[in-house]
Amino acid sequence: MTRTGDATHTAPEAGRTTAQRRILTVLVLAQLLAGAGLAAGITVGALLAEDLLGGPGLSGLPSALFTGGSALAAIAVGKLSQARGRRPGLAAGFAVGALGAVGIVAATALESLPLLFLSFVIYGSGTATNLQARYAGADLATDATRARSLSYVLLGTTAGAVAGPNLVGPTGVVAEALGLAPLAGPFLLAAAAYGGAALVISLLLRPDPLLEARRMEIAAAEAGLTSSSSSSSSLLSSAPSSSPSPAADAAATAADSERHAVAPVPTRIWTADVITGVVVMALTQFVMVGLMTMTPVHMRAHDHTVTVVGVVISLHVAAMFLPAPLSGLLVDKFGTRAVAVSAGLVLLASGGLAAMAPPQSTALVALALILLGLGWSLGLVAGTTVLTTSVPTTVRASVQGQADVAVALSGAAGGLLSGLVFAWIDFRGLGFTLAALSLVVVAAVRPRGPARRHRGVAAPPTTPGRGPLRVVHSFPVLEGVHRAGVHVGPGGGG
């Protein structure tokens, strides 16, 4: 016979699984479109700037501008998502990105540098939203599948992002037919792609994953049970609707706002867990953007055609997003520390290979960019998992938005400085510099020492040969923000 308690647990869990499956499907569909918009900037942004500015010295400026713009957008998307849910936040972010792409096309037609630079900042909203979508994939996931769930959303970016660079030639033909510069063509595609993603999110992302996770967490708290994460409260909450009406979502948002007044909020959000996760993501972003931005300029300077450059960038983008499920599986299986260290080592190999590869060797340059994408994927999934696991739903979207600001600013610095370093000590020097910086990722997750024990915090449970069972504890310098009954005070410590 089935016990009553089992029946009570099973129905909500089945509803949660159905809702999560629908949410992931919609997010992947939106990312398929958004990936094409993302690819335009990373493929031809530096080339467009080089043509308009007359030299490579500031060719990294567009990358710096749209990654800087993504930092501003990350704050806005995070705050809007925190207040109203993931759906309005993501939809608005993609729509603004589409507007920026239209502005870039107009700037090339008018040959207006001020409009071009402003439009690149606005265009960065699409980049920020593309990355923020991964958090939505993890909101309703369980601890055992959280890394894989967010990695599936990253995987959705692959098709559009890989196809985008290969469409530089065809979209250039379309642009010329419209009387525009050929390099404006990819941004025509970006405008349509980001606009389509905004529509998909706005119309289909139901239930809202963050609002649903928050509702479940509050339901568990009201039942008198403390939950360490939104996923652990799933067995005690009512089953989520697979496709609630807009009115139901609005009611949920209003109810959530009322309950915020009584919901417990940790006294310190930026724990060592969160800070180290952000450091790993920011460093991998800096290295990735720095090397990726100048590769097209380096290749064209050695007589590679734009088509060949597009193929190399496509392989790089594929390596960024296609291995995401593998990155997620590795995090779920071996923990965030092992995967973050692996990210640093892979990025080290990428920078070294890029520096030593003969400029005429398309294969070796492509291999260096593939390793660059893989290292970025490992670092992003590891850091994101920590952020999602360590931050409660009451402040999760805002904290994630602020974390992505740091990541975006790091990318902006990488894009801007890469052009200056390239002009100063050429591509070889840039590769070796970024390779050395990759070692900082390894240092950021140094092995755990015994000093932590005096705080009275028990070591996480382990299984022989597996290390910590909880993913968040896999970062050795990190302390879980959700230990039962423990909140870290403002001054650090325990």
Side-chain angles (χ1 to χ4, degrees), residues 240-343:
S241 169
S242 61
S243 183
S245 66
D249 267 353
T253 305
D256 174 72
S257 298
E258 293 177 1
R259 285 169 172 165
H260 263 50
V262 297
V265 178
T267 56
R268 182 177 179 231
I269 300 301
W270 290 93
T271 62
D273 290 32
V274 178
I275 292 172
T276 306
V278 173
V279 167
V280 169
M281 291 193 297
L283 288 174
T284 56
Q285 183 78 358
F286 184 97
V287 174
M288 186 277 293
V289 172
L291 190 58
M292 174 199 66
T293 298
M294 298 314 300
T295 297
V297 177
H298 169 66
M299 293 183 68
R300 190 166 73 165
H302 290 86
D303 300 325
H304 293 276
T305 67
V306 174
T307 301
V308 172
V309 172
V311 170
V312 170
I313 295 299
S314 292
L315 293 173
H316 164 66
V317 174
M320 289 173 64
F321 298 106
L322 198 58
L326 174 61
S327 300
L329 178 63
L330 291 174
V331 169
D332 286 335
K333 185 174 179 62
F334 299 108
T336 47
R337 177 183 179 271
V339 176
V341 170
S342 299

Side-chain angles (χ1 to χ4, degrees), residues 86-233:
R86 297 287 188 193
R87 184 173 63 254
L90 296 178
F94 281 133
V96 173
L99 178 63
V102 171
I104 293 172
V105 173
T108 58
L110 299 174
E111 297 184 353
S112 171
L113 285 176
L115 179 59
L116 179 70
F117 295 154
L118 175 63
S119 297
F120 266 115
V121 174
I122 299 173
Y123 170 78
S125 177
T127 305
T129 310
N130 182 276
L131 287 176
Q132 289 258 318
R134 73 193 190 276
Y135 294 122
D139 283 331
L140 281 178
T142 64
D143 282 341
T145 62
R146 182 165 284 119
R148 276 169 285 179
S149 294
L150 66 91
S151 71
Y152 295 147
V153 180
L154 290 173
L155 177 65
T157 309
T158 304
V162 171
N166 289 302
L167 294 176
V168 170
T171 56
V173 172
V174 172
E176 284 187 304
L178 296 175
L180 301 170
L183 291 179
F187 293 99
L188 291 173
L189 174 63
Y194 279 149
L199 286 175
V200 168
I201 292 293
S202 181
L203 297 176
L204 301 179
L205 190 61
R206 304 177 189 280
D208 189 288
L210 181 60
L211 296 183
E212 188 63 30
R214 196 178 291 161
R215 183 188 67 81
M216 295 167 70
E217 189 175 81
I218 293 174
E222 290 176 346
L225 297 176
T226 301
S227 172
S228 65
S229 69
S230 60
S231 63
S232 61
S233 67

Side-chain angles (χ1 to χ4, degrees), residues 93 179 228 260-261 283 323 388 439 474 488:
S228 65
H260 263 50
L283 288 174
T388 304
L439 293 175
S474 299
V488 183

